[in-house]
């Protein structure tokens, strides 16, 4: 039997290894609803900022910010429902949108994935409040704050 359709999901924040919400990805991997594919980076620059409560937000503005480092996962439809719930897409916290990424060090091979962006109702305003200064990576320091 063929494997059901899976979504490539780019994670740049708390779902990454070593961060507070990675437990969900670990559970999905354990249940065969996700596979870790490796470190990836956005093909184009995007703003990545830390919002209220230390929550990272990728802003859907091209050619601003940095190429953002993260991780790529292959996620089942059932797993995607669980990640959407965690990211509160139904109440406008994040929205899942297409994003092009490439494996770190292999810029010539683009991958079409999806990622969680700050909802359009506040994303650009958050970028402006942060002085249009962002990060290239949500790391250990930011994750502990």
């Amino acid at each position: 039997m063929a494997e059901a359709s899976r979504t490539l999901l780019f994670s740049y924040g708390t779902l990454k290894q070593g961060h507070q919400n990675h437990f969900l990805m670990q559970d999905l991997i354990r249940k065969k609803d996700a596979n870790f594919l490796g470190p990836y980076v956005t093909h184009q620059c995007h703003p990545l900022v830390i919002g209220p409560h230390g929550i990272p937000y990728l802003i859907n503005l091209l050619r601003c910010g940095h190429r953002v480092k993260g991780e790529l996962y292959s996620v089942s439809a059932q797993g995607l429902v669980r990640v959407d719930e965690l990211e509160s897409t139904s109440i406008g916290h994040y929205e899942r949108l297409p994003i092009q990424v490439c494996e770190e060090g292999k810029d010539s091979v683009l991958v079409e994935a999806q990622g969680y962006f700050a909802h359009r109702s506040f994303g650009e305003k958050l970028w402006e409040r942060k002085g249009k200064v962002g990060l290239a990576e949500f790391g250990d320091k930011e994750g502990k704050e």
Side-chain angles (χ1 to χ4, degrees):
M1 178 186 276
E3 186 174 319
S5 174
R6 292 173 84 88
T7 299
L8 295 178
L9 187 64
F10 178 70
S11 168
Y12 58 85
T14 63
L15 289 172
K16 290 190 332 181
Q17 295 175 28
H19 292 279
Q20 66 213 33
N21 288 328
H22 186 65
F23 71 89
L24 176 57
M25 300 313 295
Q26 289 174 312
D27 188 51
L28 294 178
I29 290 168
R30 217 177 1 265
K31 293 178 177 174
K32 308 240 185 283
D33 280 317
N35 298 91
F36 174 68
L37 301 178
Y40 278 69
V41 63
T42 60
H43 174 63
Q44 295 185 315
C45 294
H46 289 275
L48 172 62
V49 297
I50 307 300
H53 309 290
I55 298 171
Y57 290 96
L58 196 61
I59 313 293
N60 192 23
L61 294 172
L62 294 176
R63 295 176 288 284
C64 296
H66 303 277
R67 293 183 67 201
V68 176
K69 293 181 180 185
E71 299 172 348
L72 193 66
Y73 293 86
S74 171
V75 182
S76 72
Q78 181 176 342
L80 202 55
V81 167
R82 290 187 58 201
V83 182
D84 280 352
E85 286 173 5
L86 180 97
E87 299 293 5
S88 301
T89 58
S90 66
I91 60 171
H93 195 82
Y94 286 95
E95 54 187 336
R96 184 167 35 89
L97 300 170
I99 187 167
Q100 288 184 324
V101 297
C102 45
E103 195 172 353
E104 277 195 76
K106 297 182 182 175
D107 288 352
S108 62
V109 181
L110 294 182
V111 175
E112 299 290 333
Q114 295 190 11
Y116 291 96
F117 289 84
H119 192 273
R120 68 191 77 193
S121 65
F122 69 88
E124 192 168 349
K125 291 176 190 154
L126 180 60
W127 173 237
E128 290 169 1
R129 269 200 313 270
K130 293 294 183 172
K132 297 185 178 182
V133 175
L135 306 168
E137 182 173 19
F138 181 75
D140 293 337
K141 176 183 172 245
E142 295 81 15
K144 289 185 170 98
E145 290 179 356

